[in-house]
Amino acid sequence: MKNIGKEIGDELASHHWNENYRQLIKEAFNDPDVQSLITTHRDELTNEDLKRSASKVYEFFTIKNQLKRGEATLAPGYEPKLNVVNHTLEVAYVPSQQLMAEQKIAQLHARVKLLNLPKSLRQASLADFEVAGREAAASAAADFVQQYLADPKKFHQGLYLSGNFGVGKTYLLAAIANKLAAENIISMLVHFPSFAVKLKNSIGTSQNTPLIETVKKVPILMLDDIGADQLSSWIRDDILGVILQYRMQEQLATFFSSNFSQQQLLQEYLTVNNRGEAEPLKAQRIMERIRYLSRETIMIGKNRRNQ
Ligand code: ADP
Ligand code: MG
């Protein structure tokens, strides 16, 4: 095959440009990508067209090589692509594989909101979840994901994961959320004791109203570590109660994790408020909502923390 680049390069090289530039233009036209594009579009491109495109070929070649050498370019993450447009060569900048991969991860992360929980949970996956001793929880999680994805508009009972510290309750919740994120479903994992503190600190202001609205309305809500703090009547009835009531009405999937079983949660957490007053009826109302929204699954196993 005729070396078109060389021909044009030689001709351009005879112009009154500085020697350096001439040499670079020549090299640019000899680039294999440039060669192959010109060959493919030879019918549409006269020698005049190619000469007019010299600066574009040069731009393409320069940026391509800057990237190859690992140097910073003007548009980080984008790669030059040479195209034929209206009988001239034009450079377009397209996202690199790496940038697209980064964008994909950023989109996944945006679909799992973490409130006061470690970022490491973004790595949690159902595939990596060690099942031994926790078969019931693992299969309940897999069933939920499958059923939810089959019909996201329908009501699906979430899980109430109970079990000792360190058995992987939070990990499993995050793994479910990450799996759903890959299917465009938005979740929010809320460390419940921290959420309660945050709200108490802004009591009487509307500072956290948008946050409460998000927690109420997010398609998948996971309240992590419920029962780990001392509950005030206000958090129980006006925050938790209102959130759960809304989610029942709107049929939104809701998960819980707790060191307490549901029965213990009722007696040891919901019934007696932080002033020591017993409010069994109010506690019962909350518990009914929790039971409606979630199915209790007990997780047993060794403490996996710090190993
Ligand atoms: P819990 O919420 O029940 O207290 P965590 O979910 O925080 O427990 O898990 C405790 C530790 O064990 C964490 O560091 C977590 O990453 C790890 N872990 C839990 N479950 C698994 C698992 N199935 N496979 C790998 N690591 C796990
Ligand atoms: Mg936890």
Side-chain angles (χ1 to χ4, degrees):
M1 197 195 300
K2 207 164 107 181
N3 184 337
I4 303 140
K6 186 173 179 308
E7 196 181 281
I8 300 295
D10 283 346
E11 193 176 335
L12 289 167
S14 66
H15 284 240
H16 301 289
W17 284 323
N18 95 26
E19 182 57 37
N20 248 343
Y21 186 61
R22 266 185 274 178
Q23 190 54 38
L24 284 168
I25 293 278
K26 211 167 154 173
E27 274 179 46
F29 270 94
N30 268 317
D31 177 273
D33 289 339
V34 176
Q35 284 282 301
S36 116
L37 185 79
I38 295 176
T39 309
T40 314
H41 294 271
R42 195 56 184 131
D43 298 351
E44 306 157 50
L45 297 165
T46 63
N47 283 2
E48 272 312 306
D49 293 334
L50 289 174
K51 277 185 244 171
R52 265 189 290 118
S53 303
S55 66
K56 297 296 176 184
V57 173
Y58 175 67
E59 174 184 339
F60 169 78
F61 178 74
T62 311
I63 306 285
K64 177 184 156 181
N65 285 298
Q66 278 176 353
L67 285 173
K68 221 183 200 169
R69 292 192 297 266
E71 293 170 12
T73 63
L74 285 175
Y78 288 82
E79 286 170 352
K81 190 170 179 298
L82 203 58
N83 301 304
V84 178
V85 182
N86 255 337
H87 304 284
T88 46
L89 299 176
E90 292 289 344
V91 189
Y93 287 87
V94 295
S96 66
Q97 293 288 337
Q98 193 193 341
L99 182 67
M100 285 197 289
E102 283 167 10
Q103 285 172 340
K104 200 162 170 234
I105 290 174
Q107 283 166 358
L108 278 179
H109 289 183
R111 291 186 203 122
V112 180
K113 296 182 177 62
L114 297 173
L115 194 74
N116 290 97
L117 282 162
K119 285 201 170 52
S120 58
L121 290 172
R122 300 210 177 278
Q123 311 309 323
S125 84
L126 288 176
D128 292 343
F129 184 71
E130 289 166 28
V131 177
R134 295 169 301 171
E135 287 81 2
S139 79
D143 288 349
F144 176 88
V145 169
Q146 194 204 351
Q147 286 160 18
Y148 188 88
L149 292 177
D151 193 355
K153 292 206 168 69
K154 203 181 133 209
F155 174 64
H156 297 275
Q157 221 180 9
L159 304 178
Y160 180 104
L161 300 177
S162 80
N164 289 337
F165 191 70
V167 294
K169 301 182 296 294
T170 304
Y171 183 96
L172 185 56
L173 291 182
I176 295 169
N178 291 338
K179 175 74 183 171
L180 294 172
E183 307 293 334
N184 295 330
I185 310 289
I186 295 175
S187 307
M188 187 164 187
L189 264 92
V190 176
H191 184 246
F192 189 74
S194 309
F195 177 60
V197 168
K198 196 174 163 67
L199 299 185
K200 275 182 222 156
N201 289 342
S202 68
I203 202 165
T205 76
S206 54
Q207 193 188 327
N208 282 309
T209 309
L211 174 65
I212 297 172
E213 284 305 296
T214 309
V215 171
K216 262 164 81 173
K217 295 177 179 168
V218 68
I220 308 272
L221 175 66
M222 298 172 160
L223 296 179
D224 188 48
D225 243 346
I226 189 163
D229 55 353
Q230 282 240 318
L231 196 60
S232 67
S233 300
W234 177 63
I235 293 286
R236 183 191 58 205
D237 303 326
D238 297 344
I239 304 294
L240 183 61
V242 169
I243 290 170
L244 300 183
Q245 177 66 25
Y246 182 87
R247 298 190 68 82
M248 269 172 68
Q249 271 164 15
E250 300 298 319
Q251 304 272 283
L252 299 170
T254 310
F255 290 69
F256 303 86
S257 91
S258 182
N259 286 9
F260 288 142
S261 66
Q262 287 190 347
Q263 190 57 35
Q264 285 172 317
L265 192 80
L266 173 64
Q267 290 165 349
E268 297 176 38
Y269 182 65
L270 296 173
T271 301
V272 182
N273 72 11
N274 58 352
R275 291 198 301 271
E277 300 151 357
E279 298 175 307
L281 285 178
K282 286 184 170 173
Q284 195 63 48
R285 282 185 66 195
I286 303 289
M287 203 59 227
E288 274 161 20
R289 291 172 196 166
I290 294 177
R291 287 206 174 104
Y292 176 89
L293 288 166
S294 65
R295 187 154 60 87
E296 182 166 16
T297 306
I298 295 168
M299 286 175 74
I300 305 168
K302 58 177 194 247
N303 183 350
R304 285 160 189 270
R305 295 200 188 192
N306 310 318
Q307 56 170 359

